[in-house]
Amino acid sequence: QVQLVESGGGLVQAGGSLRLSCKVSGLTFDDYAAGWFRQSPGKEREGVSCVTKSSASTYYADFAKGRFTISRDNAKNTLYLQMDSLKPEDTAMYYCATYVEGYCLPSWDTRQKNYWGQGTQVTVSS
């Protein structure tokens, strides 16, 4: 049984930082690219970032560039998202996902995913 379990969300003031984690079990994590997505109430889910299976390449949404850093530890089957300089508009449910292949391109934000986590809430106060 494949499981993706996010943690690390919470309430933080604008300008603060959070580190999200996604523990993956039940599949060979280092065979797959992995990414973070988010969804706010009333909005469609959007891609935040993607990292290839070997961490050779990373990709970010424009809003995440310079503030967020995606990483993974394949030995620990864990995906991370370091979020700095948080803004109120970053408030959302954040989800991790694995892709059906080991790379992110083309179209990393819409590329087919095979498994999703249940999400962790991030709330940024002004």
Side-chain angles (χ1 to χ4, degrees):
Q1 180 182 359
V2 177
Q3 285 191 312
L4 281 68
V5 180
E6 300 97 333
S7 61
L11 174 63
V12 63
Q13 288 189 331
S17 298
L18 284 174
R19 189 193 195 203
L20 306 184
S21 298
C22 172
K23 178 70 174 178
V24 180
S25 61
L27 58 74
T28 306
F29 183 52
D30 54 9
D31 279 348
Y32 303 102
W36 289 96
F37 299 79
R38 70 183 190 182
Q39 188 168 21
S40 304
K43 294 186 178 180
E44 292 188 356
R45 185 167 55 194
E46 60 182 349
V48 177
S49 184
C50 179
V51 59
T52 55
K53 63 180 181 179
S54 62
S55 300
S57 299
T58 57
Y59 306 88
Y60 296 91
D62 286 344
F63 65 79
K65 291 177 181 176
R67 299 190 300 127
F68 295 0
T69 304
I70 192 171
S71 62
R72 63 191 292 165
D73 185 336
N74 287 343
K76 296 182 178 179
N77 283 4
T78 303
L79 177 72
Y80 302 101
L81 184 69
Q82 177 68 41
M83 303 188 295
D84 299 318
S85 302
L86 283 162
K87 304 175 182 179
E89 51 264 44
D90 294 318
T91 296
M93 186 71 79
Y94 283 71
Y95 300 89
C96 62
T98 53
Y99 290 70
V100 298
E101 293 157 319
Y103 40 89
C104 299
L105 296 182
S107 303
W108 66 267
D109 52 339
T110 57
R111 195 168 182 81
Q112 186 179 358
K113 274 72 74 178
N114 49 11
Y115 298 103
W116 292 86
Q118 83 290 345
T120 186
Q121 178 67 38
V122 172
T123 303
V124 184
S125 63
S126 56

